[in-house]
Amino acid sequence: MPETPESTPRPELFTWEFAANPYPAYAWLREHAPVHRTTLPSGVDAWLVTRYADARQALADSRLSKNPAHHSEQAHRSGRVGIPGERQADLMTHLLNIDPPDHTRLRRLVSKAFTPRRVAEFEPRVQQLTDRLIDGFAERGSADLIHEFAFPLPIYAICDLLGVPPEDQDDFRDWAGMMIRHHGGQRGGVGRAVKRMRAYLAELIHRKRADLGDDLISGLIRASDHGEHLTENEAAAMAFILLFAGFETTVNLVGNGLFALLQHPEQRARLQDSVARGERELLATAVEELLRYDGPVELATWRFATSPLRIGGVEIPVGDPVLVVLAAADRDPARFAEENTLDLARKDNPHLGFGHGIHYCIGAPLARLEGQLALATLLTRLPDLQLAADPAELRWRGGLIMRGLRELPVAFTPQLR
Ligand code: HEM
């Protein structure tokens, strides 16, 4: 994709065309207005940060608070942005909405329960889930990989990890479906879904406290730091944010990742051969590259200036919201050679797809595991998988923070058992 020449006018942001391919507009912003104040579709004004160096600095700057109380506009506090239904006060105290020292305490406690080891031990279960989902459509020769694969996989995985009993997991699938359909909206259905999920988690935590197991919720209840524990409310809010933050992101890693692979047949063939030989190295760099090239989180979550600061030489007034555009930073030619090229073997790849600084994604090991197993298993079991639609016709979700497809129709030779 060539750089936009200087003479071109400023591209329109947040249109449907932009949603389908925001990268030319981000290239323009990086070049001409790297720290840019804009009015979002919600009517809220915010700064977009698009260069890699500025993005890293902003993500780690303690003068940028995650607490929406620091926003100068009443609009934010009244719930025009953020997690659907999060106006329910007890949900407001999740990791992505708080600063140190509260953030430090909660993060330390959850880190004790949500360990890389717990995730590694979970691998056989994720493999089993992946295979079960593929079994559901393998004989048919066609599928919508968003609805039949990318969407249910992380829901069932996180439910299992948390310790939600199998008989209740389909309820979660329905609630999550309502949340993703109206992402960012305040429509009644979303609020109801969040409320039910929250109430269910509170009840489950209450039950688990009386009968601790080896699941993550029991781990959250057990975790203590210098004698401090999570309260039942904090544990419920934590379970909810793990589910919420780990769900649509992973759907989009699998969806955007497959879409990119299907459009780059040579790269895909290399990966397929490598996976068929039982290698893991290319698979690991491939998932990192897919996170960089077209990652699930287009914009990092909201930050608010608590004191005057400069980003990229631009003064940000106190109370102004700052949105770091991860998708733009990860294609900054000042940091990434051949920034618009998908190179699954890319070695020098410090992408910001999982963020940076104290809010760096706590679920990255799980996301990597799910992403790697999902792609490897699909390519192995359905080796002639092809897109069954014109790529230009596919619809993207219009949300602000996440980037993902609404559907991904594919065709392949039916796999008879
Ligand atoms: C491919 C999948 C994923 C991507 C791309 C992703 C990306 C991110 C990013 C960019 C952030 C930082 C946001 C910011 O600073 O504004 C973040 C934070 C977070 N992620 Fe993920 N995530 C993924 C999967 C997961 C999973 C599977 C979980 C949990 C099960 C999870 C849980 C969280 C939590 C709890 C935070 C907040 C951490 C904090 O504030 O300290 N994520 N994620």
Side-chain angles (χ1 to χ4, degrees), residues 158-176:
I158 193 82
C159 280
D160 267 3
L161 196 69
L162 285 170
V164 174
E167 62 275 18
D168 297 340
Q169 294 189 1
D170 283 336
D171 284 342
F172 266 83
R173 194 190 152 131
D174 293 346
W175 297 330

Side-chain angles (χ1 to χ4, degrees), residues 59 66 94-98 103 107 110 114 154 158 161 216 238 241-254 287 291 295-297 299-303 324 326 351-368 370-371 401-402:
L59 289 172
K66 299 287 296 130
H94 60 71
L95 286 173
L96 280 169
N97 261 356
I98 54 172
H103 176 268
R107 176 116 185 178
V110 69
F114 193 26
I158 193 82
L161 196 69
L216 181 53
M238 187 65 78
I241 188 65
L242 289 175
L243 223 143
F244 186 85
F247 161 51
E248 194 175 348
T249 45
T250 311
V251 175
N252 295 343
L253 170 60
V254 175
V287 166
L291 282 158
V297 182
L299 276 68
T301 55
W302 296 81
R303 285 167 165 75
V324 176
L326 305 178
H351 66 78
L352 299 178
F354 287 124
H356 172 65
I358 62 168
H359 293 278
Y360 181 83
C361 179
I362 204 167
L366 178 60
R368 290 187 164 114
E370 289 182 56
I401 303 284
M402 306 277 190

